[in-house]
């Protein structure tokens, strides 16, 4: 299941969606659901989110 970012605008013109799995995280533009996706290994995504939370 895809989840829309809580930071997406109410107008729907700047939205990203994330789908979580046991081994990878997928990210896409919600306006282009059949378009390309970014895929990250779960540990890499966790490190990315931790760095953001730490202000990095």
């Amino acid at each position: 299941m895809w989840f829309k970012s809580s930071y997406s605008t109410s107008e729907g013109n700047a939205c990203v969606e994330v789908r979580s799995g046991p081994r990878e995280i997928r990210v896409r533009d919600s306006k282009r659901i059949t378009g390309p996706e970014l895929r990250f290994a779960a540990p890499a995504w966790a490190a990315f989110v931790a760095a953001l939370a730490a202000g990095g």
Side-chain angles (χ1 to χ4, degrees):
M1 175 182 285
W2 289 93
F3 295 94
K4 190 177 287 194
S5 169
S6 61
Y7 290 98
S8 296
T9 64
S10 60
E11 292 82 32
N13 59 359
C15 302
V16 295
E17 295 178 324
V18 176
R19 183 174 186 163
S20 168
R23 291 182 288 243
E24 72 176 7
I25 308 301
R26 297 160 54 184
V27 181
R28 71 180 181 189
D29 181 343
S30 65
K31 296 179 302 303
R32 298 184 62 202
I33 60 173
T34 60
E37 299 173 1
L38 298 174
R39 294 179 182 224
F40 301 93
W45 181 261
F48 170 70
V49 171
L52 288 177

